[in-house]
Amino acid sequence: MKQTASAKRKLAGKFVTYGIVIAFYVIIQVLNGAGMVSPSIAGQLVPICAYVTMAVSLNLVVGFSGELSLGHAGFMSVGAFSGIVAAMSLQQAIPNGIARLAVAMLVGAVCAGVAGVIVGVPVLRLQGDYLAIVTLAFGEIIKSVLTNTYLAVDKKGLHFSFLTDKNALEEGGLQLIRGPMGVMNTQRISTFTVGFVLVVITLVVIFNLVNSRTGRAIMAARDNRIAAESVGISVTKYKMIAFVVSAALAGAAGTLYGCSQTTFAATKFDFNTSILILVFVVLGGLGN
């Protein structure tokens, strides 16, 4: 009976969360249709969706996995830059903006997920605050790397140089990443509706993962690592699943954010951004 009541409360909580998100979207759309949303507020709707996705995805690591990550903005930057490169490179192949954005978000999520694997494999085998230290370093390293990266595309394909711009482009070539100047003059293809869909997808993924067998294993490892290992739970494996899923969702959020801006640089995704997202998680009580 207690398990049934608990399951009903969790189900009710999920539907309340979905209802709040849907109600917010409907209210904003109605107000926007009535001309009651100012341009400055309308311009912040997509970034808000990106940051909500970031906070919910970080909660999977901080709240349900019990690990501390201080470089979540680094995964966001990986998704932003890889996604914007994909979106700009596919302008001719995929003229439809929404379809191109969907492909770019998938690319951003995959690239950020791969970065999560690279960071997580050596670190999540250890105990203590090593993940916080390594993710902090990762965020700063990826910011420095992107700040010194020059990437362009022309009829011959992609051109890459580091530290200085050595890319010699043919006529009609396009600069994708311009070192310290970042990405400039991009098409703003992100929309509030796409942001709303990403938030809903993120909630569905997190809720279903947490309430699955994998999610119970993740929380068991969080509560008592020794007890979890004694019953055959691979702590490293399940923590890795949570970390990579979180990184992939952050990458998708980064692409959504990047495709909503005409100009942005790697310095946008610094340590302060990671701390801001972590504060959202803590203040929102998402870590419970």
Side-chain angles (χ1 to χ4, degrees):
M1 292 293 292
K2 290 183 178 180
Q3 291 181 346
T4 303
S6 176
K8 288 182 178 179
R9 285 196 299 270
K10 290 181 179 179
L11 184 62
K14 289 199 299 184
F15 281 113
V16 168
T17 302
Y18 291 138
I20 291 173
V21 173
I22 294 171
F24 175 77
Y25 172 75
V26 172
I27 291 172
I28 293 297
Q29 291 292 71
V30 170
L31 293 176
N32 192 34
M36 300 175 65
V37 177
S38 66
S40 60
I41 296 297
Q44 294 300 315
L45 293 176
V46 172
I48 287 172
C49 291
Y51 280 111
V52 169
T53 301
M54 289 287 292
V56 175
S57 65
L58 180 59
N59 178 56
L60 185 59
V61 175
V62 176
F64 293 104
S65 185
E67 300 288 343
L68 180 60
S69 174
L70 296 178
H72 212 53
F75 299 113
M76 187 181 186
S77 67
V78 171
F81 278 86
S82 59
I84 203 69
V85 167
M88 294 174 69
S89 301
L90 295 172
Q91 288 183 18
Q92 301 297 326
I94 308 178
N96 183 272
I98 299 300
R100 191 164 72 252
L101 176 60
V103 174
M105 289 173 66
L106 182 60
V107 171
V110 170
C111 290
V114 171
V117 172
I118 294 173
V119 172
V121 165
V123 179
L124 290 174
R125 299 177 183 275
L126 306 175
Q127 300 184 42
D129 297 328
Y130 294 102
L131 183 66
I133 297 170
V134 172
T135 51
L136 172 60
F138 167 76
E140 295 303 307
I141 290 170
I142 197 67
K143 182 183 71 174
S144 179
V145 169
L146 291 172
T147 299
N148 292 282
T149 295
Y150 296 85
L151 188 67
V153 63
D154 60 13
K155 295 178 181 179
K156 293 182 178 180
L158 288 174
H159 300 266
F160 170 81
S161 64
F162 194 67
L163 296 180
T164 58
D165 188 4
K166 301 176 183 178
N167 298 323
L169 303 181
E170 293 185 348
E171 185 177 354
L174 181 64
Q175 287 278 1
L176 301 178
I177 303 177
R178 306 184 183 189
M181 292 187 293
V183 179
M184 302 180 66
N185 302 321
T186 63
Q187 292 184 1
R188 301 178 65 178
I189 56 178
S190 292
T191 65
F192 178 47
T193 299
V194 175
F196 162 73
V197 171
L198 178 61
V199 171
V200 172
I201 290 175
T202 301
L203 291 173
V204 170
V205 170
I206 298 297
F207 282 149
N208 282 278
L209 177 61
V210 168
N211 293 315
S212 67
R213 182 178 181 275
T214 299
R216 290 191 292 272
I218 291 171
M219 289 184 284
R222 174 199 64 187
D223 294 337
N224 194 317
R225 184 186 184 103
I226 296 176
E229 290 177 337
S230 69
V231 296
I233 294 176
S234 175
V235 173
T236 302
K237 170 187 172 182
Y238 288 105
K239 285 184 179 291
M240 177 64 70
I241 291 173
F243 189 68
V244 172
V245 170
S246 176
L249 292 171
T255 302
L256 177 73
Y257 176 86
C259 290
S260 71
Q261 308 293 311
T262 55
T263 301
F264 66 91
T267 52
K268 168 63 183 176
F269 311 100
D270 58 5
F271 175 67
N272 292 328
T273 302
S274 294
I275 294 300
L276 177 65
I277 298 165
L278 184 61
V279 169
F280 287 161
V281 173
V282 175
L283 293 181
L286 297 175
N288 296 323

